Amino acid sequence: RVGIDLERNISSKKALGRAGLEYMITPSVTLRSGYFQDSSRKEWGYSAGATIQADPRFSLDVGFLDQLDSSYKIFSGGIVIVL
């Protein structure tokens, strides 16, 4: 799956463009990556992540975002349990 998105903030008059790619390796493992950049070219970076779905009621998600030209980096993880 490929996605392209453009967002415009009216108050700050900035636009943010994003592009991403998601690839399902198996029915239970999905990898994703993306790139983003604002219209002033001051904020830009990439992201990557993976989802592992053990069964329809349980999945694990990890992600990483790196805003280049700054020390802003995020590592995130999540668990989904459907009761």
Side-chain angles (χ1 to χ4, degrees):
R1 182 165 61 167
V2 176
I4 297 174
D5 182 36
L6 181 62
E7 176 183 311
R8 175 117 172 111
N9 187 323
I10 295 172
S11 61
S12 68
K13 300 188 183 199
K14 278 195 333 190
L16 178 66
R18 293 184 287 258
L21 179 66
E22 184 176 271
Y23 180 68
M24 184 180 284
I25 296 175
T26 68
S28 61
V29 178
T30 305
L31 299 177
R32 64 186 179 280
S33 66
Y35 175 81
F36 64 92
Q37 183 170 356
D38 75 348
S39 58
S40 67
R41 298 184 186 254
K42 292 180 182 174
E43 296 179 26
W44 56 291
Y46 68 93
S47 64
T51 301
I52 300 170
Q53 186 163 2
D55 65 49
R57 295 175 27 143
F58 178 79
S59 65
L60 175 67
D61 184 81
V62 293
F64 178 74
L65 181 136
D66 185 2
Q67 186 168 327
L68 302 171
D69 286 343
S70 80
S71 62
Y72 186 76
K73 295 173 182 16
I74 295 177
F75 179 77
S76 65
I79 296 174
V80 175
I81 300 172
V82 178
L83 301 175

